[in-house]
Amino acid sequence: MKLLIIEDDVAFSNTLARRMSKMGFECQCVNQEQFILDTCNAFLPQYVLLDMKLEHSSGLQHIKQIRAALPKCKLVLLTGFASIATAVEAIKLGADDYLTKPADTKLIAKKLRGEDVELEDTFESTMSPERLEWEHIQQTLQANDGNVSETARQLNMHRRTLQRKLQKRPVSK
């Protein structure tokens, strides 16, 4: 069971690869977008786990190329910022499934294998609205290189409100 993990976060992809290896997958990671197709053609995985937000592009842009290179693979898109629009777009482009981060490795394995997922399996990976807001703020702040004023503008939020939210501890799941 060969699994290709396409994720620009090296630490996350390595951790995920170790966990998925314990579940019987032979894993290989791609952390740079320019190596995606070469690795697909060389490794020939049966399963592909594709991150939605890569360093320089969206994972959505790579679905058709991956599908063309690996027409029979099971392709699952993984994202930290889920929306119905991106889920529909991913499926239209050729993804087999769509998962939101943080996703439990057992849930990821079930989705990759095409197994039925029980409702309680999905509850483990569902974030609270507060946690989702915190994650979104952090990602936007990171995208703006820590610039609070620009982040506040992008989030349509007053700068002081954003600063208060940043001073709070992150909420758990």
Side-chain angles (χ1 to χ4, degrees), residues 148-162:
V148 174
S149 296
E150 183 59 30
T151 301
R153 273 192 288 280
Q154 285 183 3
L155 295 173
N156 197 24
M157 184 182 295
H158 193 279
R159 186 180 51 79
R160 287 188 200 155
T161 302
L162 177 58

Side-chain angles (χ1 to χ4, degrees), residues 1-2 19-27 113:
M1 293 191 315
K2 291 182 173 184
R19 290 181 180 174
M20 297 306 286
S21 293
K22 291 179 182 177
M23 299 180 132
F25 289 92
E26 177 188 342
C27 300
R113 292 182 185 131

Side-chain angles (χ1 to χ4, degrees), residues 50-164:
L50 173 64
D51 187 31
M52 170 96 146
K53 188 175 183 327
L54 299 171
E55 188 175 1
H56 300 290
S57 67
S58 166
L60 292 171
Q61 296 172 340
H62 300 282
I63 293 174
K64 283 187 177 182
Q65 295 172 328
I66 294 168
R67 184 55 69 205
L70 305 166
K72 295 185 180 184
C73 79
K74 176 82 172 188
L75 194 150
V76 176
L77 189 74
L78 189 62
T79 182
F81 298 94
S83 73
I84 293 172
T86 56
V88 169
E89 182 70 14
I91 301 302
K92 280 183 180 179
L93 290 170
D96 294 300
D97 218 324
Y98 182 91
L99 282 173
T100 58
K101 290 180 184 175
D104 181 77
T105 50
K106 291 177 188 173
L107 177 62
I108 293 171
K110 283 184 177 184
K111 287 285 190 172
L112 287 170
R113 292 182 185 131
E115 296 174 11
D116 289 334
V117 176
E118 299 296 322
L119 190 57
E120 58 268 11
D121 291 338
T122 60
F123 287 137
E124 287 182 27
S125 64
T126 304
M127 282 192 271
S128 68
E130 294 82 13
R131 180 64 188 198
L132 188 59
E133 178 188 44
W134 172 261
E135 295 287 337
H136 183 63
I137 287 171
Q138 292 301 315
Q139 185 160 2
T140 307
L141 185 63
Q142 183 180 7
N144 288 308
D145 298 321
N147 184 327
V148 174
S149 296
E150 183 59 30
T151 301
R153 273 192 288 280
Q154 285 183 3
L155 295 173
N156 197 24
M157 184 182 295
H158 193 279
R159 186 180 51 79
R160 287 188 200 155
T161 302
L162 177 58
Q163 287 174 322
R164 281 193 298 275

